[in-house]
Amino acid sequence: MFGSTATILEVRLVYDDLPLNHPLRHFYRGLAALIGLAMVGFGVTGRHGHPAMFGVTGDLALAIVALLLGLVLVVGSFVWPHLSHLVYLAVGGALMTVGLAMLLLLRTANFFGADMTGCLTTLTVGLVVFMAGTYTRTGTAEEAADKELHRQGGSRPAPARPATARPATNRPATTVPRQPAKAGPRRPAKTAPRRRPASAR
């Protein structure tokens, strides 16, 4: 249980590291579509008794597998462009698994009827399709910018909050009346003493 949980977490981390809006995503998508068309052609010729194509030989089972996986690649490339990377990852993994099975059962129970050239070709095609899945993930421009900032170890600055003005109140402005300064007791003014006239002396 814990092993499966750890594996799921590792797959999730690897998926999050896939680049978004890679400049060559259209090239890889076109390459995967061409490989899908070639696999459809191989499957059609194999079902009609002509299994040899591109130097690969096989029986009816290999032709059916190639036809089905090729149709999935073509549909994923032209119908589901936003999910094409998941299709490429799945088909690439399936092709590499088939190639390993063909290589292991080459001298014992070769139910695909392929030789060493077919095994190596299947493994190579599966690796190319899987690589196309790692470079065709698409998203919005904001998601790509956030992913690039996260890859560089930074973070997007938080948007500044607009200054909110305090709500105006309807209370009238109260003014405190100024109190007059208290006047102290007045002192009598000093007057000069009157001089007596000279006749009164």
Side-chain angles (χ1 to χ4, degrees):
M1 177 179 179
F2 295 101
S4 61
T5 305
T7 304
I8 293 174
L9 291 177
E10 291 177 358
V11 172
R12 179 66 180 176
L13 291 175
V14 172
Y15 179 78
D16 290 339
D17 289 336
L18 295 180
L20 275 176
N21 299 338
H22 195 270
L24 297 178
R25 62 186 182 277
H26 301 293
F27 168 76
Y28 286 111
R29 189 177 291 117
L31 181 62
L34 289 177
I35 292 175
L37 291 175
M39 291 174 62
V40 170
F42 177 80
V44 171
T45 56
R47 291 187 61 188
H48 288 82
H50 303 282
M53 187 176 182
F54 303 110
V56 180
T57 59
D59 55 4
L60 183 60
L62 183 60
I64 293 176
V65 171
L67 178 61
L68 294 178
L69 294 180
L71 287 176
V72 172
L73 281 178
V74 173
V75 172
S77 300
F78 294 103
V79 181
W80 305 320
H82 296 288
L83 299 178
S84 59
H85 65 286
L86 297 177
V87 175
Y88 300 156
L89 292 175
V91 174
L95 285 173
M96 287 188 288
T97 303
V98 171
L100 288 176
M102 291 165 57
L103 188 61
L104 291 174
L105 304 175
L106 186 62
R107 296 184 179 275
T108 56
N110 189 6
F111 54 88
F112 284 118
D115 54 2
M116 181 60 70
T117 304
C119 297
L120 296 178
T121 303
T122 305
L123 288 173
T124 304
V125 170
L127 183 61
V128 172
V129 173
F130 191 87
M131 183 183 65
T134 60
Y135 289 101
T136 52
R137 185 183 175 189
T138 58
T140 61
E142 294 181 356
E143 292 175 352
D146 292 340
K147 190 174 185 62
E148 184 65 20
L149 286 175
H150 179 71
R151 188 182 66 84
Q152 295 178 0
S155 60
R156 177 177 290 187
R161 295 182 178 180
T164 56
R166 294 183 179 179
T169 57
N170 296 328
R171 296 179 181 178
T174 56
T175 56
V176 180
R178 297 179 61 182
Q179 296 181 358
K182 294 181 179 181
R186 293 184 178 180
R187 294 181 179 179
K190 293 182 178 181
T191 57
R194 295 181 178 179
R195 293 183 179 181
R196 293 181 180 181
S199 59
R201 292 180 180 178

